[in-house]
Amino acid sequence: MVKNPFLNLFGGMTQWLYQRFSAISIYFFIGYLFFYWIQIDQVNYQAWVQFFDSIFHRLIITVLFLLTFFHGWIGVQHVIDDYVKNKIIHQIIYLLLLFSMTIQVIFLLLFLLEI
């Protein structure tokens, strides 16, 4: 019996699709931010404060960072799988990466969403 590659949430085919869809989403978010900043006459401290006062913009930045972390995790995972052959070092790198990304997401949520 052949397994359906689309049903495995973290298999090779679905990771490929996750990375493509996250890249497209990141492009849309960055495009939105780019066109938002083009419309502002003068970029100064007050413009930054106004930008981050909006919960909508904080939510967009949060989603952008989370998608970037997810996209990067898949890419780094494949690099580690391809080039690190020692299983102990392999697991240590995974744990360090997971720990650092978890800390980054916690700080992101604390600062941007003011939790």
Side-chain angles (χ1 to χ4, degrees), residues 62 65-66 69 103-113:
T62 303
F65 272 90
L66 292 175
F69 289 149
I103 295 297
Q104 290 174 6
V105 168
I106 289 170
F107 280 118
L108 173 75
L109 293 174
L110 288 174
F111 289 122
L112 286 179
L113 298 180

Side-chain angles (χ1 to χ4, degrees), residues 10-79:
F10 296 105
M13 183 64 172
T14 50
Q15 283 184 348
W16 183 84
L17 287 172
Y18 289 155
Q19 198 153 33
R20 296 316 177 261
F21 288 133
S22 65
I24 291 169
S25 301
I26 290 168
Y27 283 131
F28 280 123
F29 281 123
I30 290 174
Y32 169 77
L33 295 175
F34 178 73
F35 286 115
Y36 177 83
W37 284 105
I38 286 177
Q39 295 175 356
I40 295 177
D41 295 331
Q42 185 179 9
V43 178
N44 54 19
Y45 176 76
Q46 205 57 18
W48 281 102
V49 169
Q50 271 184 326
F51 179 77
F52 282 106
D53 275 345
S54 168
I55 189 69
F56 178 71
H57 289 136
R58 283 189 263 165
L59 187 63
I60 285 178
I61 296 294
T62 303
V63 171
L64 176 67
F65 272 90
L66 292 175
L67 279 172
T68 304
F69 289 149
F70 182 67
H71 184 85
W73 172 265
I74 293 172
V76 170
Q77 179 184 6
H78 286 287
V79 169

